[in-house]
Amino acid sequence: MPNHSIQVIGLHKSYKQQQVLKGVDFEVEKGSIFALLGSNGAGKTTVVRILTTLLQQDSGTATVNGFDVASKPDNVRQAISLTGQFAAVDEILTGRENLIMIAKLRYLNNPRQIADTMLQRFGLTDAADRKASTYSGGMRRRLDIALSLVGNPQIIFLDEPTTGLDPESRIEVWKIVKELAAGGTTIFLTTQYLEEAEQLADRIAILHEGRIIAKGTLSELKQLFPQAKVEYVEKQPSLEEIFLAIVGKKEAM
Amino acid sequence: MEAVKKHFFTDISVMLGRSMRHIFRSMDTIITVCITPIAMMLLFVYVLGGAIQTGADNYVNYLLPGILLMAIASGIAYTAYRLFMDKQRGIFERFHTMPISRSALLWGHVLTSLVSNAISVIVIILAALLMGFRSSAGILPWLAVAGILALFTLALTWVAAIAGLSAKTIEGASAFSYPLIFLPFISSAFVPTETMPSVVRAFAENQPVTSIVNAIRALLSDQPVGNEIWVALAWCVGILLAAYFFAMRVYKKRV
């Protein structure tokens, strides 16, 4: 058994005339954070949908947790969970009811207790009995991630987890991702923010026009560029740092 | 696969619990479904009824079966709506990446439709009782009526599932039910078909609503049901099977 949680070889996918994936290869090590970086329309979501058994590839193979996604989708589903681009929470149910529902669907004992633990862990205890439709974007995203973590899946897919979030919520999500990885969970994440990949990922692959054009650790990728000339520049605070300082969140990282 | 099968009923009951909560948190869905048929009943009984010759001495009795079918036809539109919302909001994707039975998702919606339509049917029958509806039928005929109505609801709910799963817009998801709501007007639900011009009459006498209405009417008034009940059952089962088949096909193709 290789030390790979995810292995993708020669993945092709077309929608009608349009070729979205033109031979994608990569592998993700167990317990690591892997970032698939690419601009809008690069095919990131298509890769995620294939790996999470929502979509069938045209050719090539993908194995997740040692099982082929096309022929053994049920085994794959035992090991994964997906947090998609849009928070997939039931808005009419409360946060607590959402968590209990997912715990029941994972056939866990004590769904109520699991819900309580998750609510506490994600700072949602006060809002637990409010309908999810009343939640802010950041709260909804936290609930969404909490739902994905019920039952402790080994591999978590996060498809653009911070798109549309304010800076504070984004940092919160980053913190959660780091904690998860520290606990041994494999994380597959897509993002269009370079900074996010830089902050989180052990390994990065860049998807461009349906192909992986570069992959490796951050320092390996940096070596692809000529040696930087050393210059001394007075560091200006970024707008994000200013914003966070004013809002009183001094480097929550 | 074993595990998935074993948990099929757990999955369905969780799904049923979920969408029943949806219904009880928006009671307006049940109220809207009841109000139009009750208003229609008032209109026909107290405004138009005096001028309609049905041969029956109690027009409410004559009218009720058609009104119930109308209520069900408008009630199932909400199933299409809820399925469409699930598809739209990404909650389907969450469920589909979990090791749960895929058809349990649809069955949860279908059972919810049965329960919510049963509630509206009971409310409407209570309203009809206030307006003078009386039945001499015993337990067995009533059970038969309940069975036919349940079968009719199931059949139309699967039609609604096709609409909800394949619609591109929210309007499209519910628009399909308008012709279904209209169907009782061109049937024996409000007036005897004998008074209609021949082409209309031919349509009215051979569409499902007429045989279902006639069968329920006969059961409720303790009359012999004859062949009508078999024609009615054949329609319901036929629509049910065809709609189930297509709904499952759409479901597998779309998700």
Side-chain angles (χ1 to χ4, degrees), chain A residues 12 19-24 42 206-214:
Chain A
H12 283 80
Q19 244 194 314
V20 182
L21 303 180
K22 305 168 185 167
V24 171
I206 299 173
L207 183 65
H208 186 67
E209 293 182 346
R211 283 196 183 86
I212 302 285
I213 51 166

Side-chain angles (χ1 to χ4, degrees), chain B residues 86-250:
Chain B
D86 273 5
K87 190 181 77 169
Q88 195 81 338
R89 291 256 169 83
I91 195 108
F92 258 21
E93 295 200 343
R94 176 179 296 289
F95 291 143
H96 287 155
T97 55
M98 292 172 65
I100 60 177
S101 146
R102 294 203 157 196
S103 54
L105 256 149
L106 286 192
W107 275 107
H109 280 285
V110 170
L111 293 181
T112 304
S113 164
L114 266 184
V115 176
S116 66
N117 277 301
I119 296 173
S120 5
V121 162
I122 290 168
V123 171
I124 293 168
I125 291 177
L126 291 178
L129 279 172
L130 290 178
M131 290 167 64
F133 164 70
R134 294 293 176 267
S135 167
S136 53
I139 294 279
L140 275 179
W142 270 106
L143 283 180
V145 170
I148 295 173
L149 288 176
L151 210 54
F152 181 72
T153 309
L154 268 182
L156 289 196
T157 301
W158 282 107
V159 175
I162 302 175
L165 289 169
S166 51
K168 300 257 188 301
T169 62
I170 192 74
E171 290 81 13
S174 46
F176 78 97
S177 68
Y178 300 143
L180 295 180
I181 297 170
F182 201 67
L183 222 44
F185 286 110
I186 316 168
S187 79
S188 64
F190 298 102
V191 294
T193 51
E194 287 80 17
T195 57
M196 300 174 186
S198 57
V199 180
V200 182
R201 181 178 170 183
F203 173 79
E205 287 180 352
N206 292 296
Q207 62 123 320
V209 172
T210 294
S211 57
I212 299 171
V213 161
N214 290 350
I216 295 177
R217 201 179 275 150
L219 285 167
L220 289 182
S221 57
D222 250 348
Q223 301 290 315
V225 286
N227 266 339
E228 292 279 19
I229 192 163
W230 301 115
V231 179
L233 288 177
W235 271 114
C236 290
V237 173
I239 296 171
L240 174 59
L241 290 178
Y244 177 79
F245 175 75
F246 278 110
M248 280 300 180
R249 261 187 53 162
V250 175

Side-chain angles (χ1 to χ4, degrees), chain B residues 60-74:
Chain B
V60 186
N61 285 2
Y62 187 86
L63 196 63
L64 184 63
I67 293 288
L68 293 179
L69 297 193
M70 226 176 187
I72 292 170
S74 63

